[in-house]
Amino acid sequence: MRAARLIKMVLLLQSRPSMTAAELASELEVSERTVTRDAQALSEAGVPVYADRGRVGGYRLIGGYRTRLTGLARGEAEALFLSGVPGALREMGLEDAASAARLKVSAALLPSLRDAPRTAAQRFHLDAPGWFREAVTPELLPVLAGAVWGDLRVVARYRRAAGIGAGMGAGSGVVERELEPYGLVLKAGVWYLCARVRGGGGFRVYRVDRFTGVAVGGEGFEREASFDLPGFWEERAEGFARSLLRGEVVVRLSGEGVRRLGQVVDPVAAREAVAGAEADGEGWVRVVLGVESEEVAFTQLTALGAEVEVLAPLSLRERFAGEAVRLASLYRG
């Protein structure tokens, strides 16, 4: 623990002209007294750490000293490629590895380039979760992340939800599976595990927050070299979205309704519905739209207001007519 802290202290001083005891204490998460002791230990070990006394004093390396302890460990190198997703790193328990990797890279850069990480962070930031929801980290995410990084098999208990399409967990109840965890995906603030079921079960997708137990064994698995996580996810996600579209409605859309349709319903369903549709003499188009259910269709299409007219089924049309009467009564006068 102390050895790692001493190395980090040297790298910090190597990447900056000088640092105060308070700055070092904050970076190293120790007291200023510990910083003083560590600086003394480094000096005794032959590292030329010089302490400037006074109100504006601090610590610096003298004589152009540069450490060779900048090689990245494998875990640090892998975590470095996720540095643009700080929230995901934190939730998977990889924040320390990424921090160490960034520090080593900074120390190895030319002095004129050492501010590159800071300037990039000031200009670009990825905030993955969706709006208007509180992000909750699944309790077992760090365990699963460790298994993914280490290519280790897990025995997992999973709570299935009723009505979910194939590949995302079908049926209901708790099942136990032995899985080979291939990858994790963060989609709109929700974590998913892409894994292969041992014994010929094929690849499946699981919501991480539905795992009720995960036991990581010491047995590894050989990863398929051809497995493409982004491609696999894109295919399964689109298939999952299509599996939810069990019904159809017939609607008329204005030009504005066509433009906004993909903002209120599944974008793939919207594109397929309006593809090749021709406008009538009033500039409206008649389309058949795939929907999850009549209830969901009512909620989604209501957002289009007067830019959509429901033609079928009759029950949904009557529901919109009743809502229109209620709104007219509410706003009359």
Side-chain angles (χ1 to χ4, degrees), residues 44-91:
E44 292 174 355
V47 178
V49 178
Y50 181 78
D52 291 312
R53 307 297 179 183
R55 185 173 58 85
V56 294
Y59 293 91
R60 60 186 176 88
L61 294 174
I62 60 175
Y65 179 85
R66 296 187 63 81
T67 177
R68 295 182 181 274
L69 296 174
T70 54
L72 292 177
R74 180 174 181 83
E76 295 170 345
E78 292 170 334
L80 183 62
F81 288 97
L82 292 173
S83 292
V85 197
L89 280 168
R90 184 170 55 253
E91 292 179 7

Short mmCIF file of all heavy atoms in Angstrom, two decimals, residues 44-91:
data_model
loop_
_atom_site.label_atom_id
_atom_site.label_comp_id
_atom_site.label_asym_id
_atom_site.label_seq_id
_atom_site.Cartn_x
_atom_site.Cartn_y
_atom_site.Cartn_z
N GLU A 44 15.54 9.48 1.18
CA GLU A 44 16.49 8.50 1.72
C GLU A 44 16.73 7.37 0.74
O GLU A 44 17.79 6.72 0.75
CB GLU A 44 15.96 7.95 3.04
CG GLU A 44 15.94 9.00 4.16
CD GLU A 44 15.27 8.47 5.42
OE1 GLU A 44 14.75 7.33 5.38
OE2 GLU A 44 15.26 9.19 6.43
N ALA A 45 15.74 7.10 -0.15
CA ALA A 45 15.88 6.04 -1.13
C ALA A 45 16.60 6.51 -2.39
O ALA A 45 16.79 5.74 -3.33
CB ALA A 45 14.51 5.50 -1.51
N GLY A 46 17.01 7.80 -2.42
CA GLY A 46 17.75 8.30 -3.56
C GLY A 46 16.95 9.08 -4.56
O GLY A 46 17.48 9.52 -5.59
N VAL A 47 15.65 9.28 -4.32
CA VAL A 47 14.83 10.09 -5.22
C VAL A 47 14.99 11.55 -4.79
O VAL A 47 14.68 11.89 -3.64
CB VAL A 47 13.35 9.67 -5.15
CG1 VAL A 47 12.50 10.56 -6.07
CG2 VAL A 47 13.19 8.20 -5.53
N PRO A 48 15.46 12.43 -5.67
CA PRO A 48 15.77 13.81 -5.28
C PRO A 48 14.52 14.68 -5.12
O PRO A 48 14.22 15.55 -5.95
CB PRO A 48 16.64 14.30 -6.42
CG PRO A 48 16.17 13.54 -7.61
CD PRO A 48 15.80 12.18 -7.10
N VAL A 49 13.79 14.46 -4.03
CA VAL A 49 12.62 15.28 -3.71
C VAL A 49 13.10 16.47 -2.89
O VAL A 49 13.74 16.29 -1.85
CB VAL A 49 11.57 14.47 -2.91
CG1 VAL A 49 10.39 15.36 -2.54
CG2 VAL A 49 11.10 13.26 -3.71
N TYR A 50 12.80 17.66 -3.36
CA TYR A 50 13.25 18.88 -2.67
C TYR A 50 12.03 19.62 -2.12
O TYR A 50 11.03 19.79 -2.82
CB TYR A 50 14.01 19.78 -3.64
CG TYR A 50 14.53 21.05 -2.99
CD1 TYR A 50 15.66 21.03 -2.19
CD2 TYR A 50 13.86 22.25 -3.19
CE1 TYR A 50 16.13 22.19 -1.59
CE2 TYR A 50 14.32 23.42 -2.59
CZ TYR A 50 15.46 23.38 -1.79
OH TYR A 50 15.93 24.54 -1.19
N ALA A 51 12.14 20.04 -0.87
CA ALA A 51 11.05 20.77 -0.23
C ALA A 51 11.38 22.25 -0.18
O ALA A 51 12.39 22.65 0.41
CB ALA A 51 10.81 20.23 1.18
N ASP A 52 10.54 23.06 -0.82
CA ASP A 52 10.67 24.52 -0.74
C ASP A 52 9.90 25.00 0.47
O ASP A 52 8.68 24.75 0.59
CB ASP A 52 10.11 25.19 -2.00
CG ASP A 52 10.96 24.90 -3.22
OD1 ASP A 52 12.19 25.05 -3.12
OD2 ASP A 52 10.40 24.53 -4.26
N ARG A 53 10.57 25.69 1.37
CA ARG A 53 9.92 26.18 2.58
C ARG A 53 9.19 27.50 2.30
O ARG A 53 9.37 28.13 1.28
CB ARG A 53 10.96 26.39 3.69
CG ARG A 53 11.82 25.16 3.97
CD ARG A 53 10.98 23.99 4.46
NE ARG A 53 11.79 22.80 4.72
CZ ARG A 53 11.28 21.64 5.10
NH1 ARG A 53 9.98 21.53 5.27
NH2 ARG A 53 12.08 20.60 5.29
N GLY A 54 8.34 27.87 3.24
CA GLY A 54 7.67 29.15 3.14
C GLY A 54 6.22 29.03 2.72
O GLY A 54 5.71 27.94 2.44
N ARG A 55 5.56 30.21 2.66
CA ARG A 55 4.11 30.26 2.39
C ARG A 55 3.76 29.68 1.02
O ARG A 55 2.72 29.06 0.84
CB ARG A 55 3.62 31.70 2.49
CG ARG A 55 2.12 31.86 2.35
CD ARG A 55 1.70 33.30 2.64
NE ARG A 55 2.39 34.22 1.75
CZ ARG A 55 1.95 34.53 0.53
NH1 ARG A 55 0.86 33.99 0.06
NH2 ARG A 55 2.61 35.39 -0.23
N VAL A 56 4.60 29.89 0.03
CA VAL A 56 4.32 29.41 -1.32
C VAL A 56 5.21 28.22 -1.68
O VAL A 56 5.42 27.92 -2.84
CB VAL A 56 4.52 30.53 -2.36
CG1 VAL A 56 3.50 31.62 -2.16
CG2 VAL A 56 5.94 31.10 -2.28
N GLY A 57 5.71 27.56 -0.67
CA GLY A 57 6.61 26.43 -0.90
C GLY A 57 5.86 25.19 -1.31
O GLY A 57 4.65 25.17 -1.49
N GLY A 58 6.60 24.11 -1.50
CA GLY A 58 6.01 22.84 -1.89
C GLY A 58 7.10 21.83 -2.17
O GLY A 58 8.25 21.99 -1.76
N TYR A 59 6.75 20.77 -2.87
CA TYR A 59 7.69 19.71 -3.18
C TYR A 59 7.90 19.65 -4.69
O TYR A 59 6.97 19.86 -5.48
CB TYR A 59 7.15 18.36 -2.68
CG TYR A 59 7.08 18.25 -1.19
CD1 TYR A 59 5.92 18.62 -0.51
CD2 TYR A 59 8.16 17.79 -0.46
CE1 TYR A 59 5.85 18.53 0.87
CE2 TYR A 59 8.10 17.68 0.92
CZ TYR A 59 6.94 18.06 1.59
OH TYR A 59 6.87 17.97 2.95
N ARG A 60 9.13 19.34 -5.08
CA ARG A 60 9.45 19.18 -6.49
C ARG A 60 10.63 18.24 -6.64
O ARG A 60 11.37 17.98 -5.68
CB ARG A 60 9.77 20.54 -7.13
CG ARG A 60 10.95 21.27 -6.51
CD ARG A 60 11.10 22.67 -7.11
NE ARG A 60 12.16 23.43 -6.45
CZ ARG A 60 13.43 23.42 -6.81
NH1 ARG A 60 13.81 22.65 -7.83
NH2 ARG A 60 14.32 24.14 -6.16
N LEU A 61 10.78 17.71 -7.86
CA LEU A 61 11.92 16.87 -8.18
C LEU A 61 13.01 17.74 -8.80
O LEU A 61 12.72 18.63 -9.59
CB LEU A 61 11.52 15.77 -9.18
CG LEU A 61 10.52 14.73 -8.68
CD1 LEU A 61 10.12 13.79 -9.82
CD2 LEU A 61 11.10 13.92 -7.53
N ILE A 62 14.25 17.50 -8.44
CA ILE A 62 15.34 18.33 -8.94
C ILE A 62 16.27 17.50 -9.83
O ILE A 62 16.22 16.27 -9.83
CB ILE A 62 16.15 18.95 -7.77
CG1 ILE A 62 16.77 17.85 -6.89
CG2 ILE A 62 15.28 19.87 -6.95
CD1 ILE A 62 17.66 18.40 -5.81
N GLY A 63 17.07 18.22 -10.59
CA GLY A 63 18.07 17.57 -11.42
C GLY A 63 17.51 16.83 -12.61
O GLY A 63 18.15 15.91 -13.14
N GLY A 64 16.28 17.20 -13.06
CA GLY A 64 15.70 16.52 -14.22
C GLY A 64 15.40 15.06 -13.97
O GLY A 64 15.37 14.26 -14.91
N TYR A 65 15.18 14.71 -12.71
CA TYR A 65 14.93 13.31 -12.37
C TYR A 65 13.66 12.81 -13.05
O TYR A 65 12.63 13.47 -13.05
CB TYR A 65 14.79 13.14 -10.86
CG TYR A 65 14.51 11.72 -10.43
CD1 TYR A 65 15.55 10.80 -10.24
CD2 TYR A 65 13.20 11.29 -10.22
CE1 TYR A 65 15.28 9.50 -9.85
CE2 TYR A 65 12.93 9.98 -9.84
CZ TYR A 65 13.98 9.10 -9.65
OH TYR A 65 13.72 7.81 -9.27
N ARG A 66 13.74 11.59 -13.63
CA ARG A 66 12.57 10.96 -14.21
C ARG A 66 12.59 9.48 -13.84
O ARG A 66 13.59 8.79 -14.04
CB ARG A 66 12.52 11.09 -15.74
CG ARG A 66 12.40 12.52 -16.20
CD ARG A 66 12.21 12.59 -17.71
NE ARG A 66 10.97 11.95 -18.13
CZ ARG A 66 9.77 12.56 -18.07
NH1 ARG A 66 9.67 13.78 -17.55
NH2 ARG A 66 8.68 11.94 -18.49
N THR A 67 11.47 9.01 -13.31
CA THR A 67 11.38 7.59 -12.96
C THR A 67 11.04 6.77 -14.19
O THR A 67 10.41 7.25 -15.13
CB THR A 67 10.29 7.37 -11.89
OG1 THR A 67 10.19 5.96 -11.63
CG2 THR A 67 8.93 7.85 -12.36
N ARG A 68 11.45 5.52 -14.18
CA ARG A 68 11.09 4.59 -15.25
C ARG A 68 9.86 3.76 -14.88
O ARG A 68 9.46 2.88 -15.63
CB ARG A 68 12.27 3.65 -15.54
CG ARG A 68 13.50 4.38 -16.09
CD ARG A 68 14.61 3.40 -16.39
NE ARG A 68 15.79 4.06 -16.89
CZ ARG A 68 15.99 4.38 -18.17
NH1 ARG A 68 15.08 4.07 -19.06
NH2 ARG A 68 17.09 5.00 -18.54
N LEU A 69 9.28 4.06 -13.73
CA LEU A 69 8.13 3.29 -13.26
C LEU A 69 6.84 3.79 -13.90
O LEU A 69 5.89 4.15 -13.25
CB LEU A 69 8.02 3.39 -11.73
CG LEU A 69 9.19 2.80 -10.95
CD1 LEU A 69 9.04 3.10 -9.47
CD2 LEU A 69 9.27 1.30 -11.18
N THR A 70 6.83 3.85 -15.23
CA THR A 70 5.65 4.35 -15.93
C THR A 70 4.97 3.26 -16.77
O THR A 70 4.03 3.54 -17.49
CB THR A 70 6.02 5.51 -16.86
OG1 THR A 70 7.08 5.09 -17.72
CG2 THR A 70 6.48 6.70 -16.05
N GLY A 71 5.45 2.03 -16.69
CA GLY A 71 4.82 0.97 -17.47
C GLY A 71 3.43 0.67 -16.96
O GLY A 71 3.19 0.60 -15.75
N LEU A 72 2.49 0.48 -17.88
CA LEU A 72 1.12 0.21 -17.50
C LEU A 72 0.92 -1.27 -17.22
O LEU A 72 1.34 -2.12 -18.00
CB LEU A 72 0.17 0.63 -18.63
CG LEU A 72 0.04 2.11 -18.94
CD1 LEU A 72 -0.90 2.30 -20.12
CD2 LEU A 72 -0.47 2.87 -17.74
N ALA A 73 0.25 -1.58 -16.10
CA ALA A 73 -0.19 -2.95 -15.87
C ALA A 73 -1.35 -3.23 -16.82
O ALA A 73 -1.99 -2.30 -17.32
CB ALA A 73 -0.65 -3.11 -14.42
N ARG A 74 -1.65 -4.50 -17.04
CA ARG A 74 -2.70 -4.83 -18.01
C ARG A 74 -4.04 -4.22 -17.61
O ARG A 74 -4.75 -3.65 -18.44
CB ARG A 74 -2.84 -6.35 -18.14
CG ARG A 74 -3.91 -6.74 -19.14
CD ARG A 74 -3.97 -8.23 -19.38
NE ARG A 74 -5.00 -8.54 -20.36
CZ ARG A 74 -4.83 -8.47 -21.67
NH1 ARG A 74 -3.66 -8.11 -22.15
NH2 ARG A 74 -5.80 -8.76 -22.50
N GLY A 75 -4.38 -4.35 -16.32
CA GLY A 75 -5.66 -3.79 -15.87
C GLY A 75 -5.73 -2.29 -16.04
O GLY A 75 -6.78 -1.73 -16.37
N GLU A 76 -4.60 -1.61 -15.82
CA GLU A 76 -4.56 -0.16 -15.99
C GLU A 76 -4.72 0.21 -17.46
O GLU A 76 -5.43 1.16 -17.80
CB GLU A 76 -3.26 0.39 -15.44
CG GLU A 76 -3.13 0.23 -13.93
CD GLU A 76 -1.73 0.56 -13.44
OE1 GLU A 76 -0.80 0.63 -14.27
OE2 GLU A 76 -1.57 0.72 -12.22
N ALA A 77 -4.06 -0.54 -18.33
CA ALA A 77 -4.14 -0.25 -19.77
C ALA A 77 -5.56 -0.44 -20.27
O ALA A 77 -6.08 0.35 -21.06
CB ALA A 77 -3.18 -1.15 -20.55
N GLU A 78 -6.24 -1.50 -19.82
CA GLU A 78 -7.62 -1.74 -20.24
C GLU A 78 -8.55 -0.66 -19.71
O GLU A 78 -9.43 -0.18 -20.42
CB GLU A 78 -8.06 -3.13 -19.78
CG GLU A 78 -7.34 -4.27 -20.50
CD GLU A 78 -7.61 -5.62 -19.87
OE1 GLU A 78 -7.90 -5.67 -18.67
OE2 GLU A 78 -7.49 -6.62 -20.59
N ALA A 79 -8.35 -0.29 -18.45
CA ALA A 79 -9.22 0.72 -17.86
C ALA A 79 -9.02 2.08 -18.51
O ALA A 79 -9.94 2.90 -18.56
CB ALA A 79 -8.95 0.83 -16.35
N LEU A 80 -7.81 2.33 -19.03
CA LEU A 80 -7.52 3.62 -19.65
C LEU A 80 -8.46 3.89 -20.82
O LEU A 80 -8.87 5.03 -21.05
CB LEU A 80 -6.07 3.65 -20.13
CG LEU A 80 -5.59 4.97 -20.76
CD1 LEU A 80 -5.66 6.10 -19.73
CD2 LEU A 80 -4.18 4.81 -21.27
N PHE A 81 -8.83 2.83 -21.55
CA PHE A 81 -9.70 3.02 -22.71
C PHE A 81 -11.14 3.32 -22.31
O PHE A 81 -11.96 3.65 -23.16
CB PHE A 81 -9.66 1.78 -23.60
CG PHE A 81 -8.36 1.64 -24.34
CD1 PHE A 81 -7.36 0.83 -23.85
CD2 PHE A 81 -8.12 2.35 -25.50
CE1 PHE A 81 -6.15 0.70 -24.52
CE2 PHE A 81 -6.91 2.23 -26.18
CZ PHE A 81 -5.92 1.41 -25.68
N LEU A 82 -11.46 3.22 -21.02
CA LEU A 82 -12.79 3.58 -20.53
C LEU A 82 -12.79 4.90 -19.78
O LEU A 82 -13.78 5.27 -19.17
CB LEU A 82 -13.32 2.48 -19.59
CG LEU A 82 -13.64 1.13 -20.23
CD1 LEU A 82 -13.96 0.12 -19.15
CD2 LEU A 82 -14.79 1.27 -21.19
N SER A 83 -11.68 5.63 -19.86
CA SER A 83 -11.56 6.85 -19.08
C SER A 83 -12.58 7.90 -19.45
O SER A 83 -12.87 8.80 -18.67
CB SER A 83 -10.14 7.43 -19.23
OG SER A 83 -9.21 6.57 -18.62
N GLY A 84 -13.14 7.82 -20.65
CA GLY A 84 -14.15 8.79 -21.06
C GLY A 84 -15.51 8.51 -20.47
O GLY A 84 -16.46 9.27 -20.71
N VAL A 85 -15.65 7.43 -19.71
CA VAL A 85 -16.92 7.09 -19.08
C VAL A 85 -16.70 6.98 -17.57
O VAL A 85 -16.69 5.89 -17.01
CB VAL A 85 -17.48 5.76 -19.64
CG1 VAL A 85 -18.95 5.62 -19.31
CG2 VAL A 85 -17.27 5.68 -21.14
N PRO A 86 -16.46 8.10 -16.88
CA PRO A 86 -16.08 8.05 -15.47
C PRO A 86 -17.11 7.39 -14.58
O PRO A 86 -16.76 6.66 -13.65
CB PRO A 86 -15.89 9.54 -15.11
CG PRO A 86 -16.67 10.29 -16.15
CD PRO A 86 -16.57 9.47 -17.39
N GLY A 87 -18.40 7.61 -14.86
CA GLY A 87 -19.43 6.99 -14.04
C GLY A 87 -19.40 5.48 -14.14
O GLY A 87 -19.54 4.76 -13.15
N ALA A 88 -19.21 4.97 -15.36
CA ALA A 88 -19.15 3.53 -15.56
C ALA A 88 -17.94 2.92 -14.86
O ALA A 88 -18.03 1.85 -14.25
CB ALA A 88 -19.11 3.21 -17.05
N LEU A 89 -16.80 3.60 -14.95
CA LEU A 89 -15.60 3.12 -14.25
C LEU A 89 -15.84 3.02 -12.76
O LEU A 89 -15.47 2.04 -12.11
CB LEU A 89 -14.43 4.07 -14.52
CG LEU A 89 -13.71 3.92 -15.86
CD1 LEU A 89 -12.79 5.11 -16.08
CD2 LEU A 89 -12.91 2.63 -15.89
N ARG A 90 -16.45 4.05 -12.21
CA ARG A 90 -16.71 4.07 -10.77
C ARG A 90 -17.64 2.93 -10.38
O ARG A 90 -17.41 2.24 -9.37
CB ARG A 90 -17.32 5.42 -10.39
CG ARG A 90 -17.55 5.60 -8.89
CD ARG A 90 -17.91 7.03 -8.57
NE ARG A 90 -19.05 7.50 -9.35
CZ ARG A 90 -18.96 8.36 -10.36
NH1 ARG A 90 -17.79 8.82 -10.74
NH2 ARG A 90 -20.04 8.76 -11.02
N GLU A 91 -18.69 2.70 -11.14
CA GLU A 91 -19.66 1.67 -10.81
C GLU A 91 -19.06 0.27 -10.93
O GLU A 91 -19.44 -0.64 -10.19
CB GLU A 91 -20.89 1.80 -11.70
CG GLU A 91 -21.70 3.06 -11.43
CD GLU A 91 -22.91 3.19 -12.34
OE1 GLU A 91 -23.19 2.24 -13.08
OE2 GLU A 91 -23.57 4.24 -12.29
#
